[in-house]
C-alpha cells in the first residue's frame, strides 16, 4: 500500500480522494501537442495534525509557471476592483508612515501592485511566469521574474529586514515548500512586519462541493485552523482572518511575529466554528469526498439528459478549475462543443486532457447554445451582466454546483 506524507511535517497522513489522471490545469494546447501531453495522479490527502488538505503528487512548479502562463489577473473587472479595495484597506490600516516597503508574491500582471505606485511606497513583485511579469514591467511595476524563495533574496537586497508587508493573493497555496516560504518572509520583514494573503477557503469549498478548486497549482486548501497551526511552528502568529467573496469564497489572513501567548477572541471564535463544522478534522474531509462523488454522478446525469433531448451545450470561461471537472467527470467535446473565453493565449487552443476547443467569447452570441456551462462560476455576476441577452434568448446557465 502506498504511503502518503505531509508536505510540512513529513509524517504519514491519510488519503482522502483520488480524482484520477490530470493534465496541467492551465496547459491549454495545440492539436500537434496532444500526443506529448503530461498527466499526473491528482490525489488529495489530509493531515489531522495540521488540519491541512493537500495534494500528494503535483508537477514541478516550472512546468506550470513559465513563459506561457495563460492566467491574467486583469481578465476580470470585478477582481481589478477587489484588488483596489484590498490595497486601500491595507494602506489605511497598516501603511500610514512616511516611507513604506511592500512586496507582493505572485504579482502576475501587476494588477494589485499598480495601486501602490506612490512616492511614499517602495514596491517589489516576485513573479516567476515571465509573460505576465513582463507585462507588469511594461505597466511600470517593479516585478522580478523569480519564484519567491531563499535563492531569489539576492535580487531583493534593499528589502531584507526592512519590509513592512509581504502581500499575496491566490499564491501561498501554490507554494509546495511552505517552510522555505516562511523562512524567506522572516528574512525580509522588519520587526513589526506582516504577511497578508488571501486564498480559497476550505470551508467555502466544503459548503459548495466546489472540488474544482483542487488542481495542480493549488497544492493546499487552507482553513484558519490550518494557517494558525502552520505559522505556529515558526516565530509567527495569526492575528486576524477576514472572509472574502472572491473566487467562490476566500479568506484573508494577517500574520505577524509572535508577541502574545494567546490567540485573540476573534480567532478563537473562528476556531470554534471550524471545529463545529468539521473543517478542522478528518470527518469534514471524508464527507467532502462523498459529496464529490455524488456531485459527479448528478452532473453526468444532468448532462446526459440534456444531450438526449437533443440540446447543444457550450462552456463559458476556460478556467483552471474546469480542467478538474472535465477530466474527473470525463466530459469531452462530444458533450460540450466548445468553451468561450476572453484570453488570447487560450483562444484557438484546446482544453487540457479533454481537448475541447477554446473559442473567442465574441462568438458566443453568433450561434445559439441551449445550455452554457459556466466554468467561471466565481465570476457569475460579471459574466451574466455582460451576456444578459443570452437568458432573454432562452439560454440557460448551468454549473456543477
Ligand atoms: O488561483 C488562481 C486563480 C486566481 O486564477 C490560479 N491558480 C489560476 C486562476 O484560476 P482560474 O483559471 O480558475 O481563474 P478564474 O479567474 O476563474 O478564470 C477566469 C477565466 O474566465 C479566464 O480564462 C478568463 C475567463 N473570463 C471570461 O472569459 N469572461 C473571465 C471573465 C470575468 C469574463 O467575463
Ligand atoms: N495574485 C494573482 C495571481 C494568482 S495566479 C491573483 O490573485 O490574481 C498564481 C500566480 O502565482 C501566478 O502568476 C504564478 O506565476 C505565481 N507563482 C506561483 N508560484 C510562485 C512562487 N513560488 N513565488 C511567487 N509567485 C508564484
Amino acid at each position: 500500500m502506498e504511503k502518503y506524507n505531509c508536505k510540512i511535517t513529513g509524517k504519514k497522513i491519510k488519503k482522502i480522494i483520488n480524482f484520477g489522471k490530470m493534465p496541467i490545469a492551465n496547459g491549454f494546447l495545440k492539436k500537434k501537442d496532444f500526443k506529448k501531453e503530461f498527466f499526473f495522479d491528482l490525489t488529495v490527502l489530509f493531515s489531522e495534525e495540521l488540519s491541512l488538505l493537500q495534494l500528494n503528487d503535483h508537477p514541478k512548479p516550472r512546468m506550470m509557471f513559465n513563459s506561457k502562463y495563460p492566467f491574467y489577473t486583469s481578465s476580470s473587472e470585478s477582481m481589478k476592483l477587489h484588488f483596489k479595495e484590498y490595497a486601500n484597506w491595507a494602506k489605511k490600516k497598516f501603511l500610514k508612515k512616511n516611507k513604506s516597503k511592500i512586496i507582493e508574491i505572485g504579482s502576475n500582471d501587476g494588477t494589485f501592485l499598480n495601486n501602490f505606485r506612490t512616492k511614499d511606497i517602495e514596491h517589489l513583485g516576485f513573479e516567476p511566469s515571465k509573460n505576465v511579469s513582463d507585462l507588469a514591467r511594461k505597466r511600470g511595476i517593479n516585478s522580478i521574474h523569480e519564484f519567491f524563495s531563499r535563492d531569489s533574496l539576492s535580487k531583493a537586497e534593499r528589502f531584507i529586514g526592512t519590509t513592512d508587508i509581504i502581500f499575496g493573493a491566490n499564491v501561498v497555496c501554490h507554494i509546495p515548500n511552505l517552510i522555505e516560504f516562511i523562512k524567506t518572509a522572516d528574512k525580509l520583514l522588519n520587526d513589526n512586519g506582516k504577511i497578508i494573503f488571501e486564498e480559497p477557503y476550505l470551508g467555502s469549498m466544503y459548503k459548495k462541493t466546489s472540488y474544482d478548486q483542487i488542481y495542480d497549482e493549488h497544492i493546499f486548501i487552507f482553513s484558519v485552523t490550518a494557517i494558525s497551526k502552520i505559522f505556529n511552528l515558526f516565530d509567527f502568529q495569526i492575528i486576524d482572518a477576514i472572509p472574502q467573496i472572491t473566487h467562490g469564497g476566500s479568506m484573508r489572513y494577517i500574520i505577524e511575529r509572535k508577541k502574545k501567548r494567546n490567540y485573540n477572541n476573534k480567532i478563537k471564535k473562528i476556531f470554534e466554528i471550524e471545529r463545529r463544522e468539521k473543517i478542522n478534522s478528518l470527518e469534514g474531509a471524508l464527507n467532502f469526498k462523498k459529496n464529490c462523488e455524488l456531485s459527479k454522478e448528478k452532473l453526468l446525469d444532468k448532462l446526459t439528459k440534456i444531450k438526449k433531448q437533443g440540446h447543444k451545450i457550450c462552456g463559458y470561461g476556460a478556467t483552471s478549475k474546469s480542467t478538474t471537472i472535465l477530466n474527473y467527470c470525463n466530459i469531452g467535446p462530444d458533450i460540450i462543443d466548445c468553451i468561450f473565453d476572453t484570453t488570447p493565449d487560450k483562444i484557438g487552443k484546446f482544453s487540457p486532457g479533454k481537448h475541447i476547443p477554446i473559442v473567442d467569447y465574441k462568438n458566443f452570441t453568433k450561434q445559439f447554445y441551449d445550455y452554457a456551462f459556466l466554468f467561471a462560476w466565481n465570476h457569475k455576476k460579471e459574466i451574466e451582466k455582460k451576456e444578459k441577452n443570452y437568458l432573454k434568448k432562452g439560454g440557460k446557465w448551468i454549473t456543477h454546483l
Side-chain angles (χ1 to χ4, degrees):
M1 221 171 69
E2 197 174 342
K3 276 196 185 146
Y4 301 102
N5 299 95
C6 174
K7 294 217 155 18
I8 296 183
T9 63
K11 290 186 196 159
K12 217 179 130 204
I13 56 171
K14 299 230 166 66
K15 172 181 155 181
I16 301 301
I17 181 167
N18 178 0
F19 288 105
K21 290 276 169 236
M22 284 286 161
I24 303 276
N26 262 315
F28 294 87
L29 71 177
K30 295 187 179 143
K31 211 175 237 166
K32 69 173 178 52
D33 297 322
F34 285 178
K35 278 208 184 102
K36 55 176 186 200
E37 194 169 12
F38 171 87
F39 287 87
F40 72 104
D41 192 52
L42 184 64
T43 298
V44 177
L45 316 175
F46 187 78
S47 153
E48 291 178 86
E49 185 184 1
L50 293 180
S51 302
L52 183 58
L53 198 88
Q54 53 190 278
L55 300 191
N56 181 38
D57 191 17
H58 60 83
K60 289 213 164 65
R62 259 286 160 247
M63 286 188 75
M64 303 182 275
F65 311 117
N66 44 48
S67 58
K68 292 193 178 78
Y69 187 63
F71 173 75
Y72 296 78
T73 304
S74 57
S75 62
S76 157
E77 288 304 320
S78 52
M79 286 312 293
K80 275 162 66 178
L81 187 65
H82 169 76
F83 281 117
K84 194 176 186 170
E85 287 167 0
Y86 182 1
N88 286 342
W89 165 86
K91 279 188 229 170
K92 244 194 227 150
K93 207 165 159 76
F94 300 110
L95 296 172
K96 279 183 285 204
K97 59 179 197 182
N98 287 341
K99 289 269 172 216
S100 310
K101 282 189 193 173
I102 62 154
I103 285 176
E104 188 194 3
I105 52 177
S107 42
N108 199 268
D109 59 9
T111 300
F112 179 61
L113 285 180
N114 195 38
N115 299 298
F116 292 95
R117 287 166 64 190
T118 64
K119 61 178 186 334
D120 299 339
I121 302 175
E122 196 176 335
H123 73 263
L124 179 65
F126 281 82
E127 178 43 69
S129 299
K130 188 168 186 308
N131 57 322
V132 287
S133 176
D134 284 351
L135 180 58
R137 289 173 72 94
K138 252 191 225 151
R139 290 173 174 167
I141 302 298
N142 191 11
S143 167
I144 51 171
H145 162 220
E146 293 282 341
F147 284 93
F148 183 79
S149 75
R150 214 177 351 226
D151 296 341
S152 50
L153 275 176
S154 59
K155 302 264 173 71
E157 265 167 10
R158 282 184 52 75
F159 287 77
I160 293 175
T162 58
T163 305
D164 294 287
I165 306 182
I166 296 175
F167 286 106
N170 310 300
V171 62
V172 176
C173 72
H174 296 59
I175 302 179
N177 191 342
L178 286 182
I179 297 178
E180 191 188 334
F181 158 68
I182 296 173
K183 286 186 174 165
T184 308
D186 184 28
K187 290 224 158 59
L188 288 161
L189 289 174
N190 61 30
D191 286 348
N192 214 4
K194 296 189 172 43
I195 311 173
I196 305 180
F197 58 99
E198 46 185 53
E199 311 284 314
Y201 179 56
L202 186 69
S204 307
M205 185 179 84
Y206 281 175
K207 216 169 244 167
K208 296 190 165 84
T209 316
S210 45
Y211 63 83
D212 50 332
Q213 282 295 1
I214 299 173
Y215 53 91
D216 52 7
E217 295 180 24
H218 288 182
I219 290 165
F220 303 98
I221 306 287
F222 298 124
S223 62
V224 178
T225 311
I227 287 295
S228 73
K229 286 180 175 175
I230 295 166
F231 281 90
N232 202 30
L233 297 171
F234 301 85
D235 210 15
F236 285 101
Q237 183 176 33
I238 181 170
I239 54 163
D240 203 358
I242 309 169
Q244 307 292 320
I245 56 165
T246 46
H247 290 299
S250 300
M251 189 66 82
R252 180 179 299 164
Y253 304 96
I254 305 169
I255 313 285
E256 65 177 20
R257 296 186 190 282
K258 257 181 213 160
K259 287 176 186 150
K260 295 173 244 147
R261 223 167 286 153
N262 281 324
Y263 290 111
N264 65 35
N265 284 340
K266 183 175 175 196
I267 296 293
K268 279 188 194 155
K269 220 180 232 166
I270 302 180
F271 288 161
E272 181 46 40
I273 294 171
E274 292 191 345
R275 195 173 316 135
R276 209 170 49 226
E277 295 183 0
K278 315 215 184 308
I279 293 164
N280 72 343
S281 62
L282 187 65
E283 206 180 330
L286 292 173
N287 200 31
F288 170 68
K289 169 197 162 80
K290 272 193 223 137
N291 289 339
C292 290
E293 288 161 353
L294 270 174
S295 165
K296 175 179 178 175
E297 236 174 77
K298 268 176 98 181
L299 177 62
L300 288 175
D301 253 21
K302 176 149 97 185
L303 296 179
T304 312
K305 266 188 204 134
I306 293 175
K307 289 308 279 183
K308 269 197 186 140
Q309 289 161 354
H311 295 310
K312 280 170 84 70
I313 314 174
C314 69
Y316 202 111
T319 57
S320 331
K321 298 183 289 290
S322 67
T323 297
T324 300
I325 305 173
L326 295 170
N327 287 277
Y328 172 53
C329 300
N330 193 17
I331 299 167
D334 51 326
I335 300 177
I336 293 183
D337 293 10
C338 63
I339 305 175
F340 293 100
D341 198 277
T342 51
T343 317
D345 294 356
K346 296 178 185 175
I347 294 165
K349 292 189 179 156
F350 293 84
S351 76
K354 291 292 152 203
H355 305 158
I356 299 174
I358 313 300
V359 177
D360 192 332
Y361 83 106
K362 287 184 196 127
N363 295 312
F364 180 57
T365 48
K366 292 196 181 147
Q367 192 182 346
F368 181 71
Y369 289 88
D370 308 275
Y371 292 85
F373 196 129
L374 186 58
F375 290 116
W377 53 270
N378 45 312
H379 301 301
K380 186 173 190 280
K381 254 196 192 156
E382 185 174 343
I383 291 174
E384 286 193 356
K385 192 169 161 205
K386 195 189 288 182
E387 304 291 1
K388 54 183 181 302
N389 285 333
Y390 179 59
L391 281 180
K392 285 188 196 149
K393 282 200 281 180
K396 291 181 192 74
W397 293 106
I398 51 172
T399 68
H400 65 307
L401 304 174

